[in-house]
Amino acid sequence: MNAQPILVTGATGKSGRRVVARLRARGIPVRAASRTGEHPFNWTDPGTWDAALDGVRALYLVQLNGSRLVRPFVDSAVRHGVRRIVLASGRGLDDPDYIQGSAGIRHAALDSEAAVRDSGLEWTISRPGWFAQTFTEGIYAEAVNAGELRLPAGDGAASFLDADDVAAVVVTALTEDGHTGQTYELSGPNAVTLTEVAATLSEATGRTIRYVPLSRREYVAELVTQGVPATDAEAFANVAESLRLGKDAHVSDGVQRALGRPPRTFAEAIQGVQPSTP
């Protein structure tokens, strides 16, 4: 067994912790790096970079949204002898209107992808869409716990993706050959409306969970009443707007190409999972 570890940044996040668990289940040495995890790592503190990269053979790179830190970090990785990189990117980067007001994040993410492609290393890019776990351990988990998903998403749908499928793709790309130079756009197998999401969550949890469609104005006003700053409330509304417009309703083939099997459904992704607060 190769004793050189694989570095996982964002190791406490939804995909990162699943990648760490899968690698360790295979007996592969892992350096789990995050601001508060096992190995201290902070994107905004370059003083933590060298210790994270020392002796590493491959890395899963979860970038800091909106920053342009991936390029210098990749340069450092090259100097440290890293041979393989899997970058966590995002679906919708090819659409400049994917999320209103996200131009800065989009441009930074495109620069990150370019940095990885230009690195001279073995690279793979993961572009996941909406995680199914957004409703059980993400930004909408608290609403699910309260029994109502109150969002300005109309009757829009998304091909929600199992975070475990994302981790499976990442681990495969980190540990197996044949994935260099691939960009995997990842989605679930079919589009699901929020009404269907609520029904599936109700069945999985044994509780009644409703989807209540709101207007954008109603949604922003509710968030502000709850103490959310108006600018943040507008940003959350922009994210929900992508659901209303069906920006993620299309199905991608990345899971099938990477793993040789179809992605798990929304129901399979949340089966046996109890909602928890973020």
Side-chain angles (χ1 to χ4, degrees):
M1 180 188 300
N2 195 322
Q4 289 182 285
I6 292 177
L7 171 64
V8 177
T9 67
T12 58
K14 276 193 286 294
S15 67
R17 71 173 181 271
R18 288 172 166 86
V19 169
V20 169
R22 283 175 175 267
L23 289 170
R24 287 180 171 164
R26 295 189 183 191
I28 297 172
V30 180
R31 183 171 295 158
S34 67
R35 286 180 299 174
T36 59
E38 300 171 15
H39 190 97
F41 175 81
N42 189 332
W43 272 112
T44 60
D45 180 5
T48 65
W49 294 7
D50 285 340
L53 288 165
D54 185 41
V56 165
R57 60 185 166 112
L59 69 94
Y60 178 42
L61 194 54
V62 180
Q63 57 193 302
L64 179 64
N65 281 343
S67 73
R68 291 182 180 252
L69 296 170
V70 166
R71 190 172 292 274
F73 187 79
V74 169
D75 290 342
S76 184
V78 171
R79 291 194 298 271
H80 278 272
V82 173
R83 298 189 296 277
R84 180 173 292 184
I85 296 176
V86 177
L87 174 70
S89 189
R91 213 169 184 224
L93 289 184
D94 299 322
D95 179 1
D97 299 317
Y98 176 65
I99 295 179
Q100 183 180 348
S102 67
I105 293 175
R106 175 176 176 267
H107 290 154
L110 287 171
D111 183 68
S112 298
E113 290 194 358
V116 168
R117 292 189 177 105
D118 296 342
S119 67
L121 305 180
E122 300 173 4
W123 61 265
T124 306
I125 295 172
S126 165
R127 281 186 168 188
W130 281 78
F131 286 6
Q133 284 79 5
T134 298
F135 300 98
T136 58
E137 55 188 75
I139 60 173
Y140 300 138
E142 187 173 352
V144 170
N145 281 339
E148 284 192 341
L149 280 169
R150 302 174 62 83
L151 293 169
D155 58 359
S159 51
F160 294 103
L161 168 70
D162 186 0
D164 284 307
D165 277 349
V166 177
V169 169
V170 170
V171 169
T172 297
L174 285 170
T175 60
E176 300 178 14
D177 294 330
H179 302 279
T180 298
Q182 295 295 317
T183 298
Y184 291 126
E185 185 171 288
L186 308 176
S187 80
N190 60 285
V192 181
T193 67
L194 290 185
T195 298
E196 292 169 325
V197 163
T200 304
L201 287 165
S202 295
E203 184 176 353
T205 63
R207 298 170 46 233
T208 299
I209 298 160
R210 298 191 308 137
Y211 166 52
V212 181
L214 302 176
S215 70
R216 181 189 180 97
R217 179 178 296 179
E218 290 170 332
Y219 178 68
V220 170
E222 284 195 4
L223 291 184
V224 170
T225 298
Q226 294 165 14
V228 177
T231 52
D232 291 345
E234 293 287 350
F236 287 132
N238 289 339
V239 172
E241 179 80 355
S242 71
L243 283 174
R244 186 183 69 80
L245 295 174
K247 294 282 189 176
D248 271 310
H250 62 288
V251 174
S252 302
D253 65 354
V255 173
Q256 181 70 49
R257 288 197 295 122
L259 303 179
R261 64 161 176 82
R264 299 176 74 206
T265 66
F266 181 83
E268 290 170 333
I270 65 154
Q271 187 174 22
V273 178
Q274 295 296 317
S276 59
T277 55

